[in-house]
Amino acid sequence: MKSIADIKAIRDKMQARIVNRDNSDAELETRIVVGMATCGIAAGARPVFNEFVDLVAAKGMHNVKVTRTGCLGMCKLEPIVEIFVPGEEKVTYVKVDPDKAKEIFTRHIVGGQVVSEYLIGEQ
Amino acid sequence: MREIALNILDIAENSVKAKATLVEITVTAENNVLTVTITDNGVGMSKDFLERVTDPFTTTRTTRKVGMGIPLFKDAAEMTGGSFGIESEPGRGTRVTAKFVLDSIDRAPLGDIADTAVTLLAPGIDFVWVYTVDKRSFTFDTREIKAELGDIPIDSPEIISFLRNLLKENIESINGGITI
Ligand SMILES: Nc1ncnc2c1ncn2[C@@H]1O[C@H](COP(=O)(O)OP(=O)(O)OP(=O)(O)O)[C@@H](O)[C@H]1O
Ligand SMILES: [Mg+2]
């Protein structure tokens, strides 16, 4: 069974990577933000969050963060995911589910192309 | 909500919004009662506000006029023949307690505590989860994890993934084959 003691190994692995990386990297962090107020949670934000986390972790992308936020003010369109890529305008995806999350990850986060089908107004 | 764990997430989100730095969540299944408490050291609520807080139209939200988190949790507990309560003190914090009758047919499943807990991980706030079934107990304390992590942020995707698995394994072992 995994325990806190295992964290040391992961930490050492991650630290080795950070040492090799440029300081300016922090500003070049992509953020995937999932809306998690009551409306988002009820609509299925939690599996979307965890899907993104696993995809980023599996690829070992150290410059991508997945975070949650409160109400994004459009309850009917939840789960809502905002993507912040440094130097680019914010992109808002609506009615996201784990399958769409996979697609957004592959095409947008990895591939750099906005997935226009899942944008607000397209739903 | 389809899972009590989602109600818990929603109530914990209130603690985050209330600027808590420490949130303790206990989930205890014992003698046909499932007791959930969420205790924070956030801004708290005035006596007057607290009296109205289970009303859906009580909210400090600006994005919409209803607040559903507390009313939904209250209903979910009371529907099973259980109970619900909130204590709060301005400047000190808040405790929400919900009791569910375990064998009630109106009780939602507890759901996935591991999936839930990891969505809350963040650098500026600590969580303590105490999960107990029939006196078998597991404690997950982000302060201990952060001490081990040093300068690696607890919300790095690789860490979140790892901690979710750690939680899942430990909760399964506490459950001892039953589903709550
Ligand atoms: N732990 C807490 N500390 C301080 N204030 C709280 C706490 N929990 C709830 N409140 C107050 O009670 C209000 C109602 O909470 P409730 O969860 O029912 O709705 P909400 O958070 O406003 O919206 P929603 O949950 O639907 O996203 C909140 O807006 C907040 O002002
Ligand atoms: Mg709420």
Side-chain angles (χ1 to χ4, degrees), chain A residues 1-8 10-11 13-15 17-18 36-39 41-44 46-47 49-54 56-58 60-62 64-73 75, chain B residues 1-3 5-6 9-10 13 16 61 63-64 68-69 72 111-113 115-116 118-120 141 144-145 147-153 155-166 169-170 173:
Chain A
M1 195 148 71
K2 289 181 190 61
S3 73
I4 291 189
D6 300 317
I7 288 176
K8 199 178 171 306
I10 303 182
R11 181 192 67 194
K13 197 180 83 195
M14 290 178 74
Q15 248 157 1
R17 225 164 46 202
I18 285 172
M36 290 250 197
T38 305
C39 41
I41 294 167
R46 190 189 63 187
F49 177 97
N50 281 308
E51 184 68 44
F52 276 120
V53 164
D54 285 345
V56 175
M61 300 171 93
H62 56 73
V64 180
K65 264 259 164 80
V66 184
T67 57
R68 34 164 281 287
T69 186
C71 184
L72 291 164
C75 302
Chain B
M1 295 277 177
R2 292 173 303 271
E3 297 175 17
L6 292 176
L9 176 55
D10 201 8
E13 168 74 25
V16 175
R61 278 207 169 291
T63 48
R64 57 182 148 80
M68 291 308 298
L72 285 174
D112 202 319
I113 292 292
D115 276 7
T116 298
V118 295
T119 68
L120 291 159
D141 186 335
E144 289 171 15
I145 313 268
E148 287 293 321
L149 280 171
D151 52 5
I152 303 279
D155 59 349
S156 313
E158 280 165 87
I159 302 295
I160 298 178
S161 259
F162 170 81
L163 292 175
R164 170 150 28 83
N165 289 328
L166 178 149
E169 288 180 5
N170 281 281
S173 128

Side-chain angles (χ1 to χ4, degrees), chain B residues 5-19:
Chain B
L6 292 176
N7 291 112
I8 298 174
L9 176 55
D10 201 8
I11 298 300
E13 168 74 25
N14 287 342
S15 301
V16 175
K17 268 191 301 183
K19 301 201 161 50

Side-chain angles (χ1 to χ4, degrees), chain B residues 104-172:
Chain B
S104 163
I105 50 161
D106 293 315
R107 183 180 64 85
L110 177 58
D112 202 319
I113 292 292
D115 276 7
T116 298
V118 295
T119 68
L120 291 159
L121 298 173
I125 182 166
D126 283 302
F127 289 88
V128 181
W129 290 78
V130 183
Y131 185 78
T132 309
V133 177
D134 296 334
K135 305 259 183 313
R136 301 186 298 278
S137 195
F138 169 66
T139 299
F140 176 80
D141 186 335
T142 61
R143 292 170 298 189
E144 289 171 15
I145 313 268
K146 285 175 181 174
E148 287 293 321
L149 280 171
D151 52 5
I152 303 279
I154 194 163
D155 59 349
S156 313
E158 280 165 87
I159 302 295
I160 298 178
S161 259
F162 170 81
L163 292 175
R164 170 150 28 83
N165 289 328
L166 178 149
L167 276 159
K168 272 194 209 286
E169 288 180 5
N170 281 281
I171 288 169
E172 250 170 51

